[in-house]
Amino acid sequence: MEKKVRMSDIAKRLGVSTVTISKALAGKDGVSEETRRKIQKLAAEMGYRAKPSAVSETEGETVGILIAERFLSKEQSFYFALYERVLASLRHCNMFGILEPVLWEDEEGHQVPRTIQNDRVKALILIGSFDTGYLDFIQSMGLPVVQLDAYDAKCRMDTVISDGYYGMYRMTNYLIRKGHRQIAYLGRVGATSSITDRYFGYCRALQEYGLPYREEWVLPDRDEQGYFTIELPQRMPTAFVCNCDMVAYQLIRLLNEKGYRVPEDVSVVAFDDFLFSNLANPPITTYAVDMDAMARACVNQLRARWAEPDREVSFRVVTGFLREKESVREI
């Protein structure tokens, strides 16, 4: 079988980048006319055939959207909001989405999603964390796949995440600038990649300011089965950094039950800025995740993978912003 000519083959022959080849063949700016003519001539001689555009390939197609059922039951509001934004981004590209919750036994047993069994979808978006073995299993099906709001370094897959590391670094810095020196982190480290990223952002902020790291102030927000449970430390800090708004909401309720006032006695910051940050009393100062930008980036990555299956794996981090509310006191 004749070997398919790729842009990288043309780039190697001419000693230029693949980006230059792509711009020249697509008629885009950034390439001189002389170089463009050379590239077009060599491409014709080598028998290069351009792939159909991502628009024509994806027009009217349906995408399966998988979310682990264990997260839907506990973080329903955030993941459903993210799912709705993915649907909107797909519709903007004249594509459609079907949600399929994945049961733990199906994930552990590497069961083929029902949307694929019925041949209803031509690509997949995975929202949230999944077992590494299941990710490998999904990729082995040969469909374009993007993971959203989680990543697994052991699995090479296009990924879009929020800026958990620098976001929580910024939130911890915010508390420090407000005068806090005794700051606890609330989140089960290792439960998800997002929680772990946010934990390391917290650690970096402490380190840069020379503040002591106390193991007793790194508190799990859930047990090993994923059920939420919070216990206050014996020695209370002046502030808590919570891995998400829902946990911060539960923490504030617990603090109130124990006789602590927020923010007069204890300050609280969190991450997400969705629903629970405004339901809490007082409203929670938080790092706002740009879910619209994450959804757009995810769909764009999927279409790019569709158009060029052999392209390099893409890892996209979407930044958010600090939203100051009423849960922090300056000391």
Side-chain angles (χ1 to χ4, degrees):
M1 181 182 293
E2 185 178 356
K3 182 181 178 183
K4 182 171 64 175
V5 178
R6 299 179 299 180
M7 288 188 188
S8 57
D9 300 322
I10 304 171
K12 189 174 181 181
R13 286 276 296 272
L14 290 176
V16 298
S17 69
T18 305
V19 173
T20 300
I21 301 297
S22 177
K23 287 182 177 179
L25 295 178
K28 295 181 179 179
D29 295 334
V31 182
S32 69
E33 284 305 312
E34 181 182 357
T35 301
R36 191 187 308 277
R37 285 194 295 270
K38 282 183 181 180
I39 291 171
Q40 291 173 341
K41 181 174 182 294
L42 181 58
E45 291 174 355
M46 294 177 67
Y48 172 78
R49 292 185 179 182
K51 295 183 177 70
S53 69
V55 173
S56 63
E57 281 207 7
T58 61
E59 187 88 12
E61 293 289 6
T62 300
V63 175
I65 303 171
L66 307 183
I67 305 177
E69 187 272 340
R70 64 185 184 277
F71 293 126
L72 278 178
S73 61
K74 302 176 182 64
E75 300 178 42
Q76 184 173 1
S77 57
F78 181 80
Y79 276 142
F80 264 117
L82 195 54
Y83 160 68
E84 289 169 352
R85 284 161 172 79
V86 170
L87 284 184
S89 292
L90 288 170
R91 284 195 299 268
H92 183 74
C93 301
N94 198 24
M95 300 164 69
F96 308 94
I98 298 177
L99 175 63
E100 180 175 343
V102 179
L103 300 176
W104 171 245
E105 52 265 33
D106 291 342
E107 182 179 346
E108 191 176 34
H110 297 176
Q111 294 298 310
V112 178
R114 292 165 182 79
T115 51
I116 296 178
Q117 293 177 19
N118 299 333
D119 198 29
R120 299 177 67 186
V121 304
K122 303 299 182 184
L124 291 171
I125 292 173
L126 312 181
I127 299 181
S129 297
F130 287 90
D131 176 73
T132 300
Y134 186 73
L135 293 176
D136 289 336
F137 171 69
I138 290 295
Q139 276 197 306
S140 71
M141 297 176 186
L143 297 176
V145 183
V146 177
Q147 189 170 20
L148 178 61
D149 198 46
Y151 74 95
D152 189 324
K154 299 184 286 297
C155 183
R156 288 180 54 77
M157 180 181 291
D158 291 328
T159 304
V160 177
I161 63 170
S162 62
D163 196 355
Y165 177 80
Y166 280 104
M168 199 57 88
Y169 166 78
R170 184 176 180 185
M171 297 309 297
T172 310
N173 266 280
Y174 172 82
L175 287 173
I176 295 171
R177 291 197 307 272
K178 291 291 185 179
H180 293 273
R181 296 296 182 267
Q182 300 173 6
I183 305 170
Y185 179 79
L186 185 55
R188 189 176 188 87
V189 180
T192 68
S193 59
S194 300
I195 293 175
T196 305
D197 283 348
R198 295 166 194 178
Y199 162 73
F200 282 118
Y202 156 81
C203 290
R204 176 178 173 179
L206 295 184
Q207 182 185 49
E208 286 193 356
Y209 279 88
L211 300 180
Y213 172 88
R214 300 179 185 275
E215 287 189 13
E216 66 271 23
W217 283 349
V218 177
L219 306 165
D221 62 343
R222 64 196 75 187
D223 61 22
E224 293 182 356
Q225 285 72 45
Y227 294 101
F228 286 92
T229 175
I230 300 172
E231 293 185 9
L232 299 179
Q234 288 188 346
R235 180 185 175 190
M236 286 289 289
T238 64
F240 285 87
V241 176
C242 301
N243 84 85
C244 68
D245 294 337
M246 181 171 61
V247 167
Y249 174 83
Q250 293 179 343
L251 172 66
I252 290 174
R253 293 182 62 181
L254 177 61
L255 288 169
N256 290 336
E257 290 173 6
K258 299 294 185 181
Y260 294 98
R261 298 167 302 162
V262 177
E264 292 84 356
D265 302 321
V266 181
S267 294
V268 176
V269 299
F271 202 101
D272 282 343
D273 191 36
F274 183 79
L275 190 61
F276 288 99
S277 64
N278 291 319
L279 288 178
N281 184 22
I284 303 165
T285 295
T286 187
Y287 186 82
V289 172
D290 192 339
M291 287 191 280
D292 291 315
M294 289 180 68
R296 289 193 300 269
C298 176
V299 172
N300 288 338
Q301 279 199 353
L302 191 68
R303 298 173 74 211
R305 176 62 58 193
W306 213 314
E308 193 175 351
D310 297 330
R311 69 193 291 268
E312 285 296 315
V313 171
S314 175
F315 186 89
R316 174 76 188 277
V317 180
V318 178
T319 59
F321 53 92
L322 190 153
R323 194 180 292 279
E324 193 169 14
K325 299 182 186 178
E326 302 166 26
S327 62
V328 175
R329 179 175 75 93
E330 186 168 1
I331 60 176

